[in-house]
Amino acid sequence: MTAKKIIVGYDRSPEARAAAAWALEEAARTGALVEFFYAYEWPTWAPAASTMPSPAVWPDGETDRAIKGALQEAVTEARQTHPQVRTEVSIVNASAALTLIDRSAEASLIVLGSQGHSAVTGMLGSVSVAVSAHAHCPVIVVRGDNGHAGPVVVGVDDSPCAQLALAFALEQAAERGAPVRIIHAWRPVSGIWEDSPLVTREVTDQERRPFDELVAAWQQKYPQVTITAEAVVDHPAHALAAASTTARLLVVGTRGRGAFRGMLLGSVSQHLLRHSACTVAIVREVAGS
């Protein structure tokens, strides 16, 4: 993490309030500043037919005052619940996703609710997917019951971004005094591979050895964290979604390939953003890092 600033998308919805609570708890542990962020994504077009009323290009005064009031209310509540946490507000007349991706280069975390008031801010799944796929820092999508005392669960494979996910998960667990559950899921095989041990839903010693060595190396780096490791034959999305039911945080890595317009994010990450029973952290492999 390059900077101690947490940017939280805030639109006063219950999901945004949950995101703010998560961000404030994290900031209380790490000393980060929390920025409450709101984006106006107001219509900028006008209908061609003169008989149709044109929408306002920018929000009117009443809406503007309401938004500023909501953000100030969030700051006031934060001072009451987390007086040690520094806060600030940010309002932009621009795309929420594009602005958050740009600002993520100077943030330690982006924190979003699982949905929000899309008519004004667009803080819905599309924004979470786009920001998770292209942010320069980890993205937290707050879901489920954040009071859960379970482990930090992290999904790994053989890609470089799995190392980033492991590092983030272990750092989070060390800060929280929580155990870590590492899951490596091999997809079930079919076709010409049906005679292999994987079709019996068993991971061979040869398949598991590199995984065990990886876990041992990270255990040496974090001796204070209790780590359990599971090698299973299952679709990663299914295995991790099931593990999320007893987790306090679920961490996955993503390469985030593709142009922004495609809002591409790995299928496992997308599934978990929609179906995880707990908060999800998406740790992206940034080009050139």
Side-chain angles (χ1 to χ4, degrees), residues 98-110:
L98 285 172
T99 305
L100 286 169
I101 290 167
D102 181 59
R103 292 193 176 181
S104 70
E106 299 178 354
S108 55
L109 289 174
I110 300 291

Side-chain angles (χ1 to χ4, degrees), residues 4 24 27 31-36 82-88:
K4 286 187 177 290
L24 289 166
L33 177 146
V34 172
E35 176 184 313
F36 292 95
H82 298 79
Q84 75 277 36
V85 175
R86 295 167 296 136
T87 60
E88 63 183 23

Side-chain angles (χ1 to χ4, degrees), residues 49-128:
S50 59
T51 57
M52 295 178 63
S54 299
V57 175
W58 299 112
D60 57 27
E62 182 179 352
T63 300
D64 193 55
R65 287 190 294 273
I67 297 306
K68 290 179 179 178
L71 291 176
Q72 188 55 51
E73 178 185 273
V75 169
T76 300
E77 291 179 358
R79 288 173 180 165
Q80 294 172 347
T81 60
H82 298 79
Q84 75 277 36
V85 175
R86 295 167 296 136
T87 60
E88 63 183 23
V89 301
S90 176
I91 302 175
V92 300
N93 291 308
S95 161
L98 285 172
T99 305
L100 286 169
I101 290 167
D102 181 59
R103 292 193 176 181
S104 70
E106 299 178 354
S108 55
L109 289 174
I110 300 291
V111 183
L112 302 172
S114 56
Q115 59 182 334
H117 300 315
S118 61
V120 178
T121 65
M123 292 289 185
L124 275 169
S126 60
V127 172
S128 299

